[in-house]
Amino acid sequence: MPAIVLVGAQWGDEGKGKATDLLGSTVDYVVKFNGGNNAGHTVVIEQDGKREKYALHLLPSGILSPNCTPVIGNGVVIDLAVLFEEIDGLEARGVDTSKLRVSANAHLIPPYNRTLDKVAERFLGSRRIGTTGRGIGPTYADKMSRIGIRVQDLYDEHILRQKVEGALAFKNQVLVKIYNTRAADVDEVVTELLSYAARLAPMVSDVSLELGQALDRGDTVLFEAGQATLLDVDHGTYPYVTSSNAISAGACTGSGVPPTRIDSVIAILKAYTTRVGEGPFPTELHDDHGEFLRKTGDEYGTTTGRPRRCGWLDVVVGRYATRVNGVTDFVITKLDVLTGLDKVPVCVAYDVDGVRHDEMPVNQSDFHHARPIYEELPGWWEDISRCRTFDQLPENARRYVLRVEELIGARVSAIGVGPGRDEIIGRHPLNPRPPQHTE
């Protein structure tokens, strides 16, 4: 069975949990390979006739599948307080979390990095990035500066203390002398981090080895990205990005599984576009249509509760996602939100100072000044939430999907028509094609 990478094709919040659900019992492992608790996703499950909603932040969505092993890879940064709060919340609702595996090489978010994140954003003022203030960026910066604290450091107190002392020798100068904030205390930080060590110990694993062995056995491994393509630190709308690699290639560096083992890449594309935080957004709507999408789509952050910025679908972004991720299959989500519109505009290109761009401009200034060139497609009024085959969709909804498929350059294999895990239409299998063997 295959290794599958699941990514967001826009700025996040596309509904990756629904695609994970669609793969269902065929998935043996779900691996979160990047990011931290600065993003989340919502999974809606029918239980005993009731619709249960689960908001996940650090934990991969596989935590909700009894037969699946959820994994936090080395590319994730972990706030241990948040991790155990999330685990406790799920266990209180009867979810078994005992199979969770955590990479020994994953970096931890120390309390001083949360402080730095918040005060730095305030200090930047109008130039702020729009971070969640959860210490994600400073922790990734520590990782690259080689002063970070890893999960395995919890099990050698001498090493842990040395690392905290080394980091705070500089960071306390910044906190006190630049930001006029109280210095962090080494003993307090070490004590807080060590308080989680015993509970975490049974979960700690050599994730690279474990996943390699799983693939050797023929298990199916799903790599689930946090954030999305345009938030990737290298390939997103820099500097308004996250601090990790959220494209498909990040699955390899964030888990220790080589690229030769990846079989397919599934990208999630919302039927319109949203983003949270600062940065350019060519199709953003500041009118009644934007408010319609926000209210109808319930576009408020899973982690932050912030209202999301909303706009029409941007297939220039979709084509870019196809290219940089090597997308084999798209899942379009929230098609039902577009119901009731006379016309549904789709951005097919940009106008930058009178020059048409059919692909993402390489210059960030051009992207900031890009104006959308729209193609209007006819809308539909019929309720599509009960549709379970493509042919059951209204003609104009089908035309919308087929035109988007044509424009983004990869097949649309599934379509979300409602928030429930069963409210989805499958057009093509999401499992990759069997490997081609030559004599």
Side-chain angles (χ1 to χ4, degrees), residues 160-330:
L160 176 63
R161 181 172 292 275
Q162 277 189 333
K163 288 192 170 186
V164 172
E165 287 175 345
L168 288 181
F170 171 73
K171 287 175 182 279
N172 272 341
Q173 300 294 316
V174 175
L175 285 169
V176 174
K177 295 181 179 178
I178 296 178
Y179 296 124
N180 195 30
T181 302
R182 184 177 74 88
D185 182 77
V186 172
D187 289 334
E188 288 179 6
V189 172
V190 170
T191 298
E192 178 180 328
L193 293 173
L194 287 177
S195 69
Y196 301 105
R199 188 176 179 188
L200 185 67
M203 308 173 194
V204 179
S205 168
D206 182 342
V207 161
S208 175
L209 175 62
E210 190 166 339
L211 294 177
Q213 291 173 337
L215 290 169
D216 289 342
R217 289 194 302 270
D219 291 347
T220 297
V221 179
L222 178 66
F223 298 88
E224 185 179 62
Q227 291 84 39
T229 299
L230 291 186
L231 294 176
D232 184 279
V233 67
D234 288 299
H235 302 284
T237 49
Y238 191 90
Y240 302 100
V241 292
T242 193
S243 301
S244 61
N245 289 115
I247 63 168
S248 58
C252 299
T253 55
S255 67
V257 171
T260 51
R261 306 212 72 164
I262 303 299
D263 295 282
S264 68
V265 178
I266 300 169
I268 315 305
L269 186 77
K270 197 178 287 186
Y272 48 99
T273 310
T274 63
R275 77 171 299 178
V276 173
E278 307 298 322
F281 184 176
T283 66
E284 184 173 12
L285 297 167
H286 299 283
D287 57 12
D288 290 344
H289 282 122
E291 192 59 29
F292 169 82
L293 293 174
R294 185 176 300 109
K295 287 186 175 179
T296 309
D298 191 27
E299 294 296 349
Y300 299 90
T302 302
T303 297
T304 64
R306 290 187 289 184
R308 296 176 184 139
R309 300 158 64 190
C310 296
W312 300 122
L313 180 63
D314 187 333
V315 295
V316 182
V317 165
R319 282 195 294 271
Y320 180 73
T322 301
R323 174 164 56 85
V324 299
N325 290 295
V327 176
T328 57
D329 300 87
F330 273 97

Side-chain angles (χ1 to χ4, degrees), residues 98-158:
S98 62
K99 296 174 74 173
L100 177 65
R101 314 301 290 151
V102 178
S103 172
N105 291 336
H107 280 247
L108 299 176
I109 301 175
Y112 49 79
N113 278 347
R114 293 194 297 269
T115 303
L116 274 170
D117 199 358
K118 292 172 184 174
V119 296
E121 276 287 278
R122 288 199 298 268
F123 184 80
L124 286 170
S126 62
R127 294 178 290 111
R128 65 189 180 276
I129 303 300
T131 77
T132 57
R134 287 165 166 77
I136 310 296
T139 300
Y140 277 114
D142 285 358
K143 178 178 180 177
M144 296 306 172
S145 298
R146 290 157 296 189
I147 58 169
I149 297 167
R150 298 190 293 176
V151 166
Q152 59 180 277
D153 296 330
L154 297 180
Y155 304 100
D156 187 328
E157 184 175 349
H158 178 68

